[in-house]
Amino acid sequence: VTGEDSQALADGLRSGDRSALARALTLVESTRDDDRLLASDLLARLGPPPGDTVRLGVSGPPGVGKSTFIEALGLHLIGRGHRLAVLAVDPSSRLSGGSVLGDKTRMEGLARNRNAFVRPSPTGSALGGIARRTREAILLVEAAGHDIIVVETVGVGQSETEVAQVCDLFLLLLAPAAGDDLQGIKRGIVELADLVIVNKADGAFEAAARRAAADQRSALRMMRPRAGGWQVPVVLCSALHGSGIDEVWAEVERFVDHQRGCEAFAERRRRQSAAWLWAEVEQELLAALRADPGTRARAGEVGARMARGEITPPATAMELVRGFLGRPDREHGATAADSRRSGGQKR
Amino acid sequence: VTGEDSQALADGLRSGDRSALARALTLVESTRDDDRLLASDLLARLGPPPGDTVRLGVSGPPGVGKSTFIEALGLHLIGRGHRLAVLAVDPSSRLSGGSVLGDKTRMEGLARNRNAFVRPSPTGSALGGIARRTREAILLVEAAGHDIIVVETVGVGQSETEVAQVCDLFLLLLAPAAGDDLQGIKRGIVELADLVIVNKADGAFEAAARRAAADQRSALRMMRPRAGGWQVPVVLCSALHGSGIDEVWAEVERFVDHQRGCEAFAERRRRQSAAWLWAEVEQELLAALRADPGTRARAGEVGARMARGEITPPATAMELVRGFLGRPDREHGATAADSRRSGGQKR
């Protein structure tokens, strides 16, 4: 892919060419340096993102029925004229490298529908890389005309915070079981939710689902409301039977209207852009430092002293950064020893 | 605390003064700039860490009995002449700010023992800050003469990876229940474990504990062994009744001997130092960029363009970093547009 090709790719995905979109997604998932440059070139060619999209984070413990739920919700939305994209995120198996979520066949109805685009989780995606890849993927699928983006994460920890950082609304799916602990849901995760859904509210589970919903409602009343005073609702549904899906969507729309009404929607996206910016700045700076020949030389030398325990990693870091920035003993990075020499103030 | 005071603090904690140790730990937990400088000064004064300490990460789902286990193991070790330090890590409730783990009274026997030092989790510790604070805290308690360091984390996700990064051995505590999913344990977490312990193997739970241990053993046989061919053992214990604690410690010692024998022990610490170094380099670089007046000025201008969607966060980041490093159009950070101009190669 060269510059000319990246223009063709941008044109292709904007015109709805699914294979162009797939290639573009592969590009942003790559960690190769040349791919990173092309990806950023491609993103620059897409222009401002459409303002009327909704980015939904969907999480919940294993076995809660996330795929079935997303399939049911997705088909419902397509029936109402929307175009859906599903981006899966699964950092759970970094060491083994495998990923069950990579299995596209989980959402067969959506995978076959021309108004939906399902992208499995790239294997070996590192935590920390999730947000970056997902932010870029969102811009791509939006440019390709998808107006509802579902970012799905398998959820008992690590990735939810990152997913919440790229979404307009974080939706937590729970099973009709008692107690967050038993479901492996951490308190911090529930605090991220803008909407809680108790799935499997059907048949023998219906009564348990009602009890679980009531429990969640009283637990949520103890937490402080979300931005703009939004009180997190708890909705029952059965993705398997398709019941409650319209109520779920009604709550999503009510949330979006509410957040748009109080500017919280735009504010959230602004904060997300800023977080993205600083994450990229970090990456760029580190890359520049690592590529710097002088720093490489110094790294060998101070690294050996560090290995012998003569100098701590923070002190080593300070030496490397000062050397790289070419300001060995000025302003930033004055050590405590400096402040001691100059007679640091008592506290 | 001035430079002179930090020398006194270093002397105090080395001589076994518990209040000096407590003040030093408070210093490394602080995120204030002046405290950070003093903390790094203090660390520099401690000299090389003793080589014969063991750093144990302990994790497991809520309710598995981590505190009871650590108390039983700790008292056992103190009886054998060791000096123990327990550092608790709990990032679970970032938004609410509260922390159950902050409750020192959980480990009453240890908290009262002069050969133990129990440090609750600082409230409001951000994920990402865990590793930094814990690494520094480990050096402090080691300098104070504690030879066995237990880093405890409440465990269903986020913090385990960070804790595994600062420990010699990661010990996973499980309940006598079937299925990792039900316990909220992610596959990725089991993959971090060097030693698996099924707790509560007593009374009515004993049979279930034996089944759970057998399940874990066969699951572990499917995974690749850890460094140096270490096959992760599964041990039964009852922390409440004190049974199996000696077997647990025997396995820890066997692991340490094994890892020392194949150089994996030192190699793991070396890798951890390197990771620490790069994390600090990142922090230092970002701090320098944020403090740079020229960058602040440019940030306002390009930030406004970014807010209007005219420029993506990655492109904005590139502009800021290039400006900061004073190399507007050279070497590092050549964009895809540049490579296009110079006729980038087809792939």
Side-chain angles (χ1 to χ4, degrees):
Chain A
V1 186
T2 64
E4 281 71 16
D5 290 340
S6 90
Q7 184 61 53
L9 208 51
D11 294 342
L13 75 88
R14 268 194 302 242
S15 73
D17 174 352
R18 294 171 75 93
S19 86
L21 177 56
R23 276 180 288 134
L25 287 165
T26 303
L27 197 61
V28 302
E29 284 163 9
S30 167
T31 51
R32 285 176 41 170
D33 283 349
D34 51 348
D35 287 344
R36 294 300 317 147
L37 289 173
L38 283 163
S40 105
D41 186 39
L42 171 64
L43 289 171
R45 288 170 196 276
L46 296 178
D52 56 351
T53 62
V54 175
R55 303 164 184 173
L56 273 183
V58 173
S59 187
V64 74
K66 285 186 293 296
S67 311
T68 316
F69 172 78
I70 293 169
E71 169 117 335
L73 179 66
L75 293 172
H76 174 79
L77 293 172
I78 289 168
R80 294 181 55 163
H82 291 288
R83 297 191 64 217
L84 192 83
V86 181
L87 305 171
V89 160
D90 177 17
S92 63
S93 199
R94 265 208 281 178
L95 295 174
S96 70
S99 169
V100 255
L101 268 183
D103 186 4
K104 224 180 189 174
T105 57
R106 288 176 313 131
M107 295 180 241
E108 282 193 355
L110 287 179
R112 275 196 307 259
N113 194 299
R114 60 176 193 86
N115 287 314
F117 192 91
V118 179
R119 184 73 173 181
S121 185
T123 50
S125 52
L127 194 69
I130 292 173
R132 180 184 221 174
R133 171 244 165 195
T134 309
R135 282 163 178 144
E136 296 183 345
I138 287 173
L139 295 185
L140 294 178
V141 294
E142 286 182 350
H146 296 274
D147 64 330
I148 297 176
I149 323 301
V150 173
V151 181
E152 174 196 14
T153 180
V154 61
V156 283
Q158 305 180 291
S159 53
E160 286 79 358
T161 319
E162 290 203 49
V163 169
Q165 273 173 24
V166 302
C167 288
D168 301 318
L169 180 156
F170 189 75
L171 189 157
L172 179 64
L173 217 59
L174 296 177
D180 293 347
D181 280 5
L182 289 177
Q183 295 198 42
I185 291 294
K186 297 183 69 170
R187 185 174 162 73
I189 303 305
V190 178
E191 287 170 1
L192 293 172
D194 300 299
L195 177 54
V196 171
I197 293 169
V198 180
N199 191 24
K200 302 191 180 176
D202 51 50
F205 291 120
E206 184 147 3
R210 290 194 186 284
R211 275 195 305 275
D215 286 353
Q216 287 297 330
R217 273 185 206 108
S218 47
L220 285 162
R221 267 195 290 272
M222 312 293 269
M223 296 186 194
R224 57 160 186 255
R226 309 301 313 262
W230 173 256
Q231 189 66 47
V232 179
V234 180
V235 185
L236 287 169
C237 86
S238 164
L240 195 64
H241 298 167
S243 63
I245 296 295
D246 38 359
E247 283 87 348
V248 168
W249 190 246
E251 287 298 331
V252 171
E253 289 192 315
R254 195 167 69 80
F255 175 82
V256 172
D257 288 346
H258 175 274
Q259 298 283 289
R260 287 215 166 103
C262 65
E263 291 292 308
F265 193 90
E267 172 57 23
R268 187 163 173 165
R269 287 206 176 176
R270 262 195 300 274
R271 268 188 290 116
Q272 292 172 348
S273 279
W276 186 3
L277 169 66
W278 289 108
E280 293 287 329
V281 163
E282 212 169 286
Q283 298 265 2
E284 285 291 322
L285 271 178
L286 265 187
L289 176 130
R290 282 177 192 268
D292 180 54
T295 303
R296 280 167 187 258
R298 269 188 303 279
E301 177 204 324
V302 290
R305 286 171 56 207
M306 187 178 88
R308 293 193 296 270
E310 294 167 13
I311 176 171
T312 62
T316 312
M318 230 172 235
E319 280 206 27
L320 290 181
V321 169
R322 284 167 171 205
F324 172 61
L325 296 179
R327 35 185 121 166
D329 226 332
R330 283 181 304 152
E331 296 175 83
H332 168 74
T335 62
D338 296 335
S339 80
R340 183 162 36 87
R341 275 198 296 277
S342 63
Q345 292 211 298
K346 286 259 180 195
R347 291 193 301 130
Chain B
V1 186
T2 64
E4 282 71 16
D5 290 340
S6 89
Q7 185 60 53
L9 208 50
D11 294 342
L13 74 89
R14 270 194 301 243
S15 72
D17 175 351
R18 295 171 75 93
S19 86
L21 176 56
R23 274 180 289 134
L25 287 165
T26 303
L27 196 61
V28 302
E29 285 162 9
S30 168
T31 52
R32 285 177 42 173
D33 282 349
D34 51 349
D35 287 344
R36 295 299 317 146
L37 289 173
L38 284 164
S40 103
D41 185 40
L42 172 63
L43 290 171
R45 288 170 195 276
L46 296 179
D52 56 350
T53 63
V54 175
R55 303 165 183 172
L56 275 183
V58 174
S59 188
V64 73
K66 284 186 293 298
S67 311
T68 315
F69 172 78
I70 293 169
E71 169 117 337
L73 179 66
L75 292 172
H76 175 79
L77 293 172
I78 288 169
R80 293 181 54 163
H82 291 287
R83 296 191 64 216
L84 192 83
V86 182
L87 305 171
V89 160
D90 176 17
S92 63
S93 196
R94 265 208 283 178
L95 295 174
S96 70
S99 168
V100 256
L101 268 182
D103 188 3
K104 224 181 189 174
T105 58
R106 289 176 313 130
M107 294 180 242
E108 282 194 355
L110 286 179
R112 274 197 306 259
N113 194 299
R114 61 179 192 83
N115 287 314
F117 192 91
V118 180
R119 184 72 174 183
S121 185
T123 50
S125 52
L127 194 70
I130 292 173
R132 179 185 221 174
R133 171 247 165 192
T134 309
R135 282 161 177 146
E136 297 183 344
I138 287 172
L139 295 186
L140 294 178
V141 294
E142 286 182 350
H146 295 275
D147 65 330
I148 296 176
I149 323 300
V150 173
V151 181
E152 174 196 13
T153 180
V154 62
V156 283
Q158 305 181 291
S159 53
E160 285 79 359
T161 319
E162 291 203 48
V163 169
Q165 272 173 24
V166 302
C167 288
D168 301 317
L169 181 156
F170 189 76
L171 189 158
L172 180 64
L173 217 59
L174 295 177
D180 294 346
D181 281 5
L182 289 177
Q183 296 199 42
I185 292 293
K186 298 183 68 168
R187 186 174 159 74
I189 302 305
V190 178
E191 287 170 1
L192 292 173
D194 301 298
L195 176 54
V196 171
I197 293 169
V198 180
N199 190 24
K200 303 190 180 175
D202 52 50
F205 292 120
E206 183 146 5
R210 290 193 187 286
R211 277 195 303 276
D215 286 353
Q216 287 297 328
R217 275 186 204 105
S218 47
L220 284 163
R221 268 193 291 271
M222 314 292 271
M223 297 188 194
R224 60 161 185 253
R226 310 299 314 260
W230 174 256
Q231 189 67 47
V232 179
V234 180
V235 186
L236 287 168
C237 86
S238 163
L240 195 64
H241 297 165
S243 62
I245 295 296
D246 38 0
E247 282 87 347
V248 168
W249 190 247
E251 288 298 331
V252 170
E253 288 192 317
R254 195 167 68 81
F255 175 81
V256 171
D257 288 346
H258 175 275
Q259 298 283 290
R260 285 217 167 103
C262 65
E263 291 292 309
F265 193 90
E267 173 56 23
R268 186 161 173 167
R269 286 205 177 177
R270 263 195 299 274
R271 268 188 289 115
Q272 291 173 348
S273 278
W276 186 3
L277 169 66
W278 289 108
E280 292 286 329
V281 163
E282 212 170 285
Q283 297 264 2
E284 286 290 322
L285 271 177
L286 264 188
L289 176 129
R290 281 177 191 268
D292 179 54
T295 303
R296 278 166 189 259
R298 270 189 303 279
E301 177 204 322
V302 291
R305 285 170 57 207
M306 187 179 88
R308 292 193 297 270
E310 293 167 14
I311 174 171
T312 62
T316 311
M318 230 172 236
E319 281 208 24
L320 290 181
V321 170
R322 286 166 168 205
F324 172 60
L325 297 179
R327 36 184 119 164
D329 227 332
R330 284 180 305 153
E331 296 176 88
H332 167 75
T335 62
D338 295 336
S339 79
R340 183 164 35 90
R341 274 196 299 274
S342 63
Q345 291 208 297
K346 285 257 180 197
R347 290 194 301 132

